[in-house]
Amino acid sequence: MGDPNCPQCHGLGYLRRDAEPGSPDFGRLDICVCRQSQVAQTVRERLFSLSHLDELQGLTFESFNTRGRKGVGELQANSLEWAFNRARQYAGSLNGWLLLQGGFGCGKTHLAAAIANFVVGMGVPTLFLTVPDLLDTLRFSYDSEETTFEQRFDEIRNAPLLVLDDFGTQNATAWAQEKLFQIVNYRYINKLPLVVTTNLDLDEIEARIRSRLADPELVSAVRIVAPDYRRPTDDKGHPELSSLDLHASRTFASFDDRREEGLASDEVRSLEKAVKAATTFVAKPRGWLVLTGPYGCGKTHLAAAIANTLADKGNPPLFIMVPDLLDHLRATFSPSSNVSYDHRFDEIRTAPLLVLDDLGAQSTSPWAKEKLHQLFNYRYNAELPTVLTVAVDMLESIDERLRVRLLDERICTICAITAPAFHGGKARKAKR
């Protein structure tokens, strides 16, 4: 009820609009100013209780480490700082939408909760929900005695600020997709503030929602490339397909120059040239670097050293054996695959830096040849930095369409290692 002494509603708490019969506003009731603050407080408390923000009260801008843990590379630290600044700016304006993308544990949820906590402190009713919890809230309302589905649905889509955490982790039923689209579309049409966090790329999100999230006039998209904050020693931020963690010990410092093996002078020089080419490439990754030689001569070690050096700088490349690459592509055709072929292939061919180990060891089926040609052709035309290792015995067996790319000196630097396979031994002293 309203204020009994209110001169407008006289304690009723609402006013009936003065409109002609037939008008859309005829008979409509409005909340009286004497109880608007009370209603607003009730809305804030209800949304706060639905959000469980009391459990996230420690996730604030003040508690966020803007440069990440010690040891995080510069590129990764910069992405964290940029995301932090964009989140603070958004919290102060609530202008448009904010999309936070990145891997598990990179800080997306912390920043989203920091926005919510800041805005709640400013008195703005805010609803913070993981997407699975949002859908559960809607499902439970069907049997609720306290509210109806329509009331709960309207409460969610009209929240002054809505934060959807972990978008894409929900069960993708037709009902779930439809409800999410209705919520997102409603807020899109009405330009209501929305914050979304997701581990997915945009092309993995349902097309109708993706088109809204991709609108540059409304949405500010921020990608965080930092590793998992909870596992700083285990997670280096490598791409999902990368096997670089298996080669963590292969660095330039651990590379053996093999002088104690008694190698021929031309073999030693070939190793020196390969190391120099690899360190030059690390300093400014540009063009293609092709390392050839017999099995076990050190090609993979140098390729991994390049990748590990760049990863330590916060720019982890995609390091993968060619046979494994093709297996990953084939796996997308399985009915149980949770990623499409197009997404997986695009992820590989557009990698900012790609290290392909053991080219030529793959199956030479027509399908494999065609996929590798498409991959090479794309990166060749786009001049994307690429490192390849090829056993010298395999050079002649490589598809000619690939070989002509590898032999193009305008984009490729070829280092031929002539040293034999490394066994870790020392040269034997001659007997007298």
Side-chain angles (χ1 to χ4, degrees), residues 28-318:
R28 181 171 175 175
L29 301 179
D30 288 329
I31 297 171
C32 183
V33 291
C34 72
R35 60 184 293 260
Q36 281 181 351
S37 60
Q38 175 192 349
V39 171
Q41 179 63 23
T42 301
V43 170
R44 281 197 293 272
E45 292 174 354
R46 183 182 301 147
L47 293 180
F48 190 86
S49 65
L50 283 175
S51 301
H52 301 293
L53 272 174
D54 51 340
E55 301 171 7
L56 303 173
Q57 59 184 341
L59 301 181
T60 64
F61 288 121
E62 290 71 26
S63 65
F64 189 83
N65 190 339
T66 57
R67 300 292 292 177
R69 287 185 183 273
K70 185 178 180 180
V72 170
E74 183 178 0
L75 179 71
Q76 297 167 327
N78 288 342
S79 79
L80 280 168
E81 189 170 11
W82 168 248
F84 173 82
N85 291 333
R86 288 295 296 114
R88 283 212 72 144
Q89 182 182 12
Y90 182 82
S93 67
L94 294 184
N95 184 27
W97 293 6
L98 181 65
L99 174 64
L100 297 171
Q101 296 175 277
F104 296 105
C106 70
K108 304 184 305 297
T109 295
H110 189 140
L111 287 177
I115 292 171
N117 283 318
F118 178 87
V119 172
V120 165
M122 299 297 291
V124 178
T126 300
L127 181 57
F128 180 106
L129 286 171
T130 65
V131 175
D133 286 346
L134 179 150
L135 295 170
D136 284 345
T137 298
L138 288 176
R139 292 186 186 99
F140 296 155
S141 66
Y142 284 119
D143 299 322
S144 175
E145 296 180 357
E146 299 177 357
T147 187
T148 65
F149 172 85
E150 289 75 15
Q151 289 172 330
R152 182 53 47 83
F153 187 68
D154 194 62
E155 195 171 37
I156 292 171
R157 68 178 184 175
N158 278 301
L161 172 63
L162 177 62
V163 181
L164 298 181
D165 189 35
D166 268 351
F167 197 97
T169 59
Q170 71 278 359
N171 186 4
T173 64
W175 179 85
Q177 294 283 40
E178 189 61 31
K179 295 304 117 183
L180 285 176
F181 171 70
Q182 289 175 328
I183 291 170
V184 170
N185 191 54
Y186 181 88
R187 299 188 73 85
Y188 179 82
I189 292 171
N190 292 282
K191 301 295 186 290
L192 296 176
L194 175 68
V195 176
V196 175
T197 78
T198 183
N199 303 314
L200 304 179
D201 290 327
L202 278 180
D203 59 3
E204 296 178 85
I205 295 174
E206 195 265 337
R208 297 176 299 174
I209 296 177
R210 179 173 68 239
S211 69
R212 274 66 177 171
L213 292 175
D215 184 347
E217 294 185 0
L218 178 69
V219 184
S220 295
V222 177
R223 179 172 288 278
I224 304 174
V225 297
D228 190 337
Y229 191 84
R230 295 178 287 264
R231 299 187 296 115
T233 59
D234 299 332
D235 184 4
K236 302 297 184 182
H238 298 319
E240 179 186 356
L241 300 183
S242 182
S243 58
L244 186 57
D245 55 340
L246 301 177
H247 303 273
S249 63
R250 291 180 168 175
T251 64
F252 287 114
S254 66
F255 188 79
D256 194 325
D257 61 15
R258 305 176 64 182
R259 292 182 180 278
E260 296 185 1
E261 291 185 38
L263 298 178
S265 59
D266 62 322
E267 294 172 340
V268 173
R269 282 197 300 273
S270 73
L271 283 169
E272 292 174 345
K273 288 181 179 178
V275 171
K276 183 177 180 180
T279 54
T280 300
F281 185 89
V282 161
K284 186 175 289 187
R286 187 168 53 189
W288 291 14
L289 176 62
V290 182
L291 301 169
T292 70
Y295 290 109
C297 69
K299 305 185 302 298
T300 296
H301 190 132
L302 286 176
I306 292 171
N308 281 316
T309 301
L310 292 171
D312 289 341
K313 292 180 178 180
N315 190 18
L318 173 52

